[in-house]
PDB file of all heavy atoms in Angstrom:
ATOM      1  N   LYS A 357     -17.422 -20.415  12.772  1.00 96.00           N
ATOM      2  CA  LYS A 357     -18.497 -21.155  13.439  1.00 96.00           C
ATOM      3  C   LYS A 357     -19.508 -20.215  14.124  1.00 96.00           C
ATOM      4  O   LYS A 357     -20.692 -20.402  13.979  1.00 96.00           O
ATOM      5  CB  LYS A 357     -17.897 -22.088  14.490  1.00 96.00           C
ATOM      6  CG  LYS A 357     -18.941 -22.861  15.280  1.00 96.00           C
ATOM      7  CD  LYS A 357     -18.326 -23.819  16.295  1.00 96.00           C
ATOM      8  CE  LYS A 357     -19.382 -24.577  17.058  1.00 96.00           C
ATOM      9  NZ  LYS A 357     -18.778 -25.489  18.067  1.00 96.00           N
ATOM     10  N   TYR A 358     -19.023 -19.178  14.851  1.00 98.00           N
ATOM     11  CA  TYR A 358     -19.884 -18.366  15.681  1.00 98.00           C
ATOM     12  C   TYR A 358     -20.274 -17.077  14.964  1.00 98.00           C
ATOM     13  O   TYR A 358     -19.410 -16.312  14.561  1.00 98.00           O
ATOM     14  CB  TYR A 358     -19.195 -18.059  16.987  1.00 98.00           C
ATOM     15  CG  TYR A 358     -18.630 -19.252  17.729  1.00 98.00           C
ATOM     16  CD1 TYR A 358     -17.277 -19.545  17.669  1.00 98.00           C
ATOM     17  CD2 TYR A 358     -19.494 -20.077  18.414  1.00 98.00           C
ATOM     18  CE1 TYR A 358     -16.774 -20.644  18.354  1.00 98.00           C
ATOM     19  CE2 TYR A 358     -19.012 -21.219  19.087  1.00 98.00           C
ATOM     20  CZ  TYR A 358     -17.664 -21.471  19.043  1.00 98.00           C
ATOM     21  OH  TYR A 358     -17.143 -22.572  19.719  1.00 98.00           O
ATOM     22  N   THR A 359     -21.594 -16.840  14.858  1.00 98.00           N
ATOM     23  CA  THR A 359     -22.116 -15.625  14.241  1.00 98.00           C
ATOM     24  C   THR A 359     -22.425 -14.625  15.343  1.00 98.00           C
ATOM     25  O   THR A 359     -23.086 -14.943  16.336  1.00 98.00           O
ATOM     26  CB  THR A 359     -23.384 -15.907  13.443  1.00 98.00           C
ATOM     27  OG1 THR A 359     -23.105 -16.868  12.436  1.00 98.00           O
ATOM     28  CG2 THR A 359     -23.895 -14.616  12.778  1.00 98.00           C
ATOM     29  N   VAL A 360     -21.955 -13.377  15.196  1.00 98.00           N
ATOM     30  CA  VAL A 360     -22.209 -12.359  16.211  1.00 98.00           C
ATOM     31  C   VAL A 360     -22.850 -11.124  15.542  1.00 98.00           C
ATOM     32  O   VAL A 360     -22.532 -10.741  14.420  1.00 98.00           O
ATOM     33  CB  VAL A 360     -20.969 -11.930  16.960  1.00 98.00           C
ATOM     34  CG1 VAL A 360     -20.321 -13.115  17.662  1.00 98.00           C
ATOM     35  CG2 VAL A 360     -19.915 -11.287  16.043  1.00 98.00           C
ATOM     36  N   GLU A 361     -23.753 -10.535  16.245  1.00 97.00           N
ATOM     37  CA  GLU A 361     -24.333  -9.236  15.925  1.00 97.00           C
ATOM     38  C   GLU A 361     -23.994  -8.261  17.031  1.00 97.00           C
ATOM     39  O   GLU A 361     -24.078  -8.594  18.224  1.00 97.00           O
ATOM     40  CB  GLU A 361     -25.873  -9.368  15.765  1.00 97.00           C
ATOM     41  CG  GLU A 361     -26.605  -8.058  15.551  1.00 97.00           C
ATOM     42  CD  GLU A 361     -26.515  -7.543  14.147  1.00 97.00           C
ATOM     43  OE1 GLU A 361     -26.014  -8.293  13.259  1.00 97.00           O
ATOM     44  OE2 GLU A 361     -26.895  -6.417  13.890  1.00 97.00           O
ATOM     45  N   ILE A 362     -23.555  -7.064  16.677  1.00 97.00           N
ATOM     46  CA  ILE A 362     -23.101  -6.092  17.632  1.00 97.00           C
ATOM     47  C   ILE A 362     -23.971  -4.861  17.612  1.00 97.00           C
ATOM     48  O   ILE A 362     -24.317  -4.345  16.542  1.00 97.00           O
ATOM     49  CB  ILE A 362     -21.621  -5.673  17.340  1.00 97.00           C
ATOM     50  CG1 ILE A 362     -20.706  -6.899  17.410  1.00 97.00           C
ATOM     51  CG2 ILE A 362     -21.127  -4.603  18.313  1.00 97.00           C
ATOM     52  CD1 ILE A 362     -19.291  -6.663  16.953  1.00 97.00           C
ATOM     53  N   GLY A 363     -24.361  -4.362  18.782  1.00 96.00           N
ATOM     54  CA  GLY A 363     -25.180  -3.160  18.831  1.00 96.00           C
ATOM     55  C   GLY A 363     -25.333  -2.625  20.243  1.00 96.00           C
ATOM     56  O   GLY A 363     -24.651  -3.084  21.204  1.00 96.00           O
ATOM     57  N   GLY A 364     -26.227  -1.646  20.415  1.00 96.00           N
ATOM     58  CA  GLY A 364     -26.490  -1.073  21.718  1.00 96.00           C
ATOM     59  C   GLY A 364     -27.442  -1.971  22.526  1.00 96.00           C
ATOM     60  O   GLY A 364     -27.855  -3.066  22.064  1.00 96.00           O
ATOM     61  N   LYS A 365     -27.795  -1.535  23.735  1.00 94.00           N
ATOM     62  CA  LYS A 365     -28.598  -2.397  24.581  1.00 94.00           C
ATOM     63  C   LYS A 365     -30.009  -2.573  24.122  1.00 94.00           C
ATOM     64  O   LYS A 365     -30.707  -3.499  24.571  1.00 94.00           O
ATOM     65  CB  LYS A 365     -28.587  -1.827  26.015  1.00 94.00           C
ATOM     66  CG  LYS A 365     -29.212  -0.425  26.160  1.00 94.00           C
ATOM     67  CD  LYS A 365     -29.081   0.038  27.600  1.00 94.00           C
ATOM     68  CE  LYS A 365     -29.632   1.426  27.797  1.00 94.00           C
ATOM     69  NZ  LYS A 365     -29.475   1.885  29.208  1.00 94.00           N
ATOM     70  N   GLN A 366     -30.494  -1.774  23.146  1.00 95.00           N
ATOM     71  CA  GLN A 366     -31.818  -1.962  22.613  1.00 95.00           C
ATOM     72  C   GLN A 366     -31.838  -2.882  21.396  1.00 95.00           C
ATOM     73  O   GLN A 366     -32.896  -3.230  20.902  1.00 95.00           O
ATOM     74  CB  GLN A 366     -32.416  -0.565  22.213  1.00 95.00           C
ATOM     75  CG  GLN A 366     -32.459   0.431  23.333  1.00 95.00           C
ATOM     76  CD  GLN A 366     -33.319  -0.060  24.510  1.00 95.00           C
ATOM     77  OE1 GLN A 366     -34.311  -0.730  24.323  1.00 95.00           O
ATOM     78  NE2 GLN A 366     -32.889   0.315  25.710  1.00 95.00           N
ATOM     79  N   LYS A 367     -30.693  -3.303  20.921  1.00 95.00           N
ATOM     80  CA  LYS A 367     -30.617  -4.164  19.761  1.00 95.00           C
ATOM     81  C   LYS A 367     -31.309  -5.484  20.026  1.00 95.00           C
ATOM     82  O   LYS A 367     -31.133  -6.051  21.098  1.00 95.00           O
ATOM     83  CB  LYS A 367     -29.125  -4.394  19.393  1.00 95.00           C
ATOM     84  CG  LYS A 367     -28.923  -5.131  18.066  1.00 95.00           C
ATOM     85  CD  LYS A 367     -28.936  -4.166  16.896  1.00 95.00           C
ATOM     86  CE  LYS A 367     -28.496  -4.835  15.625  1.00 95.00           C
ATOM     87  NZ  LYS A 367     -28.449  -3.903  14.476  1.00 95.00           N
ATOM     88  N   ASP A 368     -32.079  -6.010  19.035  1.00 96.00           N
ATOM     89  CA  ASP A 368     -32.751  -7.277  19.241  1.00 96.00           C
ATOM     90  C   ASP A 368     -32.079  -8.362  18.381  1.00 96.00           C
ATOM     91  O   ASP A 368     -31.127  -8.122  17.638  1.00 96.00           O
ATOM     92  CB  ASP A 368     -34.245  -7.216  18.982  1.00 96.00           C
ATOM     93  CG  ASP A 368     -34.562  -6.803  17.546  1.00 96.00           C
ATOM     94  OD1 ASP A 368     -33.803  -7.149  16.619  1.00 96.00           O
ATOM     95  OD2 ASP A 368     -35.598  -6.150  17.315  1.00 96.00           O
TER      96      ASP A 368
END
Side-chain angles (χ1 to χ4, degrees):
K357 179 179 180 181
Y358 306 103
T359 302
V360 301
E361 174 77 11
I362 299 172
K365 61 183 179 180
Q366 303 301 324
K367 188 85 171 182
D368 61 31

